[in-house]
């Protein structure tokens, strides 16, 4: 499958009065046509920065320090403001955490959909799009103001706006975080099903590893502004190779021990003020060795999986910490 987005060596920092925060620390990430990718990691790992960078939709204090983002060969970082507007409108779709803040509260849904579609769409075309995202009474939804809809219905409208122009990539940032638990799976299923009807690649950014692993072919795990593991979801979920992935899975709902408790990851994620010179996970890693403190790990590709760990080839996470031997 061909690559639709190619991100190479991306370093993004946020300017702060005291010390700048580095949110992405050398990310290489390719999205192929029609694939569904889930990006997971704890809060602050850089998921939103990576997802929003695709549309150059970062906060005003963000700085692209290095690297590039190419969409179908076009550089997103060096295109003009006009080109960028076109790219955002015609080739990318974004779905955010809170649908109510993504919709214009003063405009009826139908009008917002009309503005998102090309040309001057008919009422039938507007309603057809609302039906595609599973709104049962599209005429009624079109005549409503956002506050008249439930959270789940409003998120369906946001998804309709995002797919109105048949984007090549749809980026959903915690698309179910503000919704009732009962509707979360349904909205994720809707997003996952759109790949088949639109052909668009789907990128879901989420805390919920299990929910995302179920619906995406590929799982990407971020930590400290880097991708630490990437590979086929089932493999990553059932046989994690990076110590952080393993810890994240053990800490995920659904993996409670016999005493009904989850095993939280001790410590807190780092806040980086520069590019890291060692492994960012070193202080929390149960397998850490001297090398991990001294040297920045490079990405290693093993069995179709990319793992950013000095010990990726050593079978480290399948052993107990005492058994680990340096590579
Ligand atoms: N506008 C900003 N100004 C300063 N720092 C920021 C800004 N936005 C994000 N950051 C910092 O950049 C890092 C990465 O943040 P980001 O929002 O990309 O993470 P995330 O994985 O999406 O987290 P969450 O799960 O909480 O949404 C964090 O340390 C965060 O505090
Ligand atoms: Mg986020």
């Amino acid at each position: 499958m061909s690559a639709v987005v190619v991100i190479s060596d991306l370093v993004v920092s946020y300017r702060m009065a005291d010390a700048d925060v580095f949110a992405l620390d050398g990310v290489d990430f390719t999205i192929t046509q029609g694939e569904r990718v889930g990006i997971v990691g704890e809060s602050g790992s850089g998921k939103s920065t990576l997802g929003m960078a695709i549309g150059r939709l970062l906060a005003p204090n963000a700085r692209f320090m290095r690297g590039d983002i190419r969409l179908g060969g076009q550089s997103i970082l060096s295109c003009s403001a006009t080109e960028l507007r076109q790219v955002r409108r015609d080739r990318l779709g974004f779905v955010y955490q809170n649908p109510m803040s993504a919709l214009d509260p003063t405009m009826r849904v139908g009008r917002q959909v009309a503005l998102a579609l090309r040309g001057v769409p008919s009422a039938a075309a507007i309603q057809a799009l609302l039906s595609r995202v599973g709104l049962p009474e599209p005429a009624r939804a079109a005549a409503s103001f956002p506050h008249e809809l439930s959270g789940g219905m409003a998120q369906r409208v946001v998804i309709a706006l995002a797919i109105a122009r048949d984007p090549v990539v749809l980026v959903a940032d915690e698309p179910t975080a503000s919704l009732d638990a009962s509707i979360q799976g349904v909205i994720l299923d809707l997003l996952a099903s759109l790949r088949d009807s639109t052909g668009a690649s789907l990128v879901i950014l989420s805390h919920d590893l299990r929910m995302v692993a179920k619906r995406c072919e590929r799982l990407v795990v971020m930590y400290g502004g880097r991708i630490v593991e990437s590979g086929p979801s089932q493999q990553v979920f059932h046989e994690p190779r990076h110590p952080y992935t393993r810890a994240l899975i053990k800490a995920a709902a659904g993996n409670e021990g016999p005493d009904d408790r989850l095993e939280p990851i001790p410590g807190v994620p780092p806040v980086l003020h520069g590019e890291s010179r060692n492994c960012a996970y070193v202080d929390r890693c149960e397998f850490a060795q001297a090398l991990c403190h001294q040297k920045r790990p490079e990405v290693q590709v093993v069995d179709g999986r990319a793992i950013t760990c000095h010990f990726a080839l050593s079978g480290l996470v399948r052993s107990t910490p005492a058994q680990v031997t340096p590579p």
Side-chain angles (χ1 to χ4, degrees), residues 36-40 95-97 132-133 151-153 155-156 159 170-196 202-217 219:
R36 290 180 289 217
V37 197
I39 302 185
V40 299
V95 177
Y96 303 94
Q97 178 169 337
R132 267 177 79 193
V133 294
M153 286 166 85
Q155 194 60 303
R156 288 181 196 272
I159 295 169
L170 193 58
V171 180
D173 189 356
E174 305 274 3
T176 61
S178 71
L179 304 179
D180 267 13
S182 60
I183 193 87
Q184 291 181 351
V186 180
I187 291 290
L188 286 178
D189 287 341
L190 167 66
L191 282 166
S193 73
L194 288 173
R195 190 274 308 269
D196 300 327
L202 172 69
V203 181
I204 302 182
L205 320 175
S206 175
H207 282 105
D208 199 327
L209 216 131
R210 187 178 288 275
M211 291 266 252
V212 166
K214 225 169 111 181
R215 293 165 178 96
C216 296
E217 291 90 22
L219 207 52

Side-chain angles (χ1 to χ4, degrees), residues 140-161:
R140 206 159 107 172
S144 306
F145 284 99
H147 73 266
E148 293 170 323
L149 306 175
S150 69
M153 286 166 85
Q155 194 60 303
R156 288 181 196 272
V157 173
V158 173
I159 295 169
L161 300 179

Side-chain angles (χ1 to χ4, degrees), residues 95-263:
V95 177
Y96 303 94
Q97 178 169 337
N98 185 349
M100 288 306 178
S101 58
L103 296 171
D104 183 336
T106 66
M107 206 187 274
R108 290 186 201 276
V109 163
R111 174 103 185 99
Q112 299 189 50
V113 173
L115 292 173
L117 285 162
R118 287 193 175 83
V120 185
S122 62
I126 292 168
Q127 289 173 31
L129 182 57
L130 292 172
S131 295
R132 267 177 79 193
V133 294
L135 282 161
E137 293 178 274
R140 206 159 107 172
S144 306
F145 284 99
H147 73 266
E148 293 170 323
L149 306 175
S150 69
M153 286 166 85
Q155 194 60 303
R156 288 181 196 272
V157 173
V158 173
I159 295 169
L161 300 179
I163 61 166
R165 293 196 178 214
D166 293 320
V168 287
V169 181
L170 193 58
V171 180
D173 189 356
E174 305 274 3
T176 61
S178 71
L179 304 179
D180 267 13
S182 60
I183 193 87
Q184 291 181 351
V186 180
I187 291 290
L188 286 178
D189 287 341
L190 167 66
L191 282 166
S193 73
L194 288 173
R195 190 274 308 269
D196 300 327
S197 59
T198 65
S201 308
L202 172 69
V203 181
I204 302 182
L205 320 175
S206 175
H207 282 105
D208 199 327
L209 216 131
R210 187 178 288 275
M211 291 266 252
V212 166
K214 225 169 111 181
R215 293 165 178 96
C216 296
E217 291 90 22
R218 182 153 67 106
L219 207 52
V220 167
V221 183
M222 291 192 72
Y223 188 82
R226 298 188 78 186
I227 291 176
V228 297
E229 181 156 4
S230 165
S233 295
Q234 292 311 313
Q235 283 179 29
V236 172
F237 193 77
H238 292 292
E239 287 171 60
R241 293 275 180 86
H242 193 288
Y244 177 64
T245 314
R246 174 175 133 139
L248 199 62
I249 291 168
K250 277 166 92 178
N255 288 342
E256 290 80 359
D259 58 355
D260 230 19
R261 290 163 86 160
L262 289 167
E263 212 176 293

Side-chain angles (χ1 to χ4, degrees), residues 14-16 21-23 41-50 59 61 173-174 207 270-271:
Y14 290 101
R15 215 159 262 172
M16 300 296 278
V21 172
F22 278 60
E42 286 166 290
S43 188
S45 57
K47 304 179 297 292
S48 297
T49 305
L50 179 59
N61 62 334
D173 189 356
E174 305 274 3
H207 282 105
V271 176

Side-chain angles (χ1 to χ4, degrees), residues 3-6 68-79 91:
V4 288
V5 173
V6 179
D68 201 6
I69 303 171
R70 303 189 83 85
L71 176 68
Q74 180 179 22
S75 169
I76 296 294
L77 300 192
S78 54
C79 66
R91 300 171 69 198

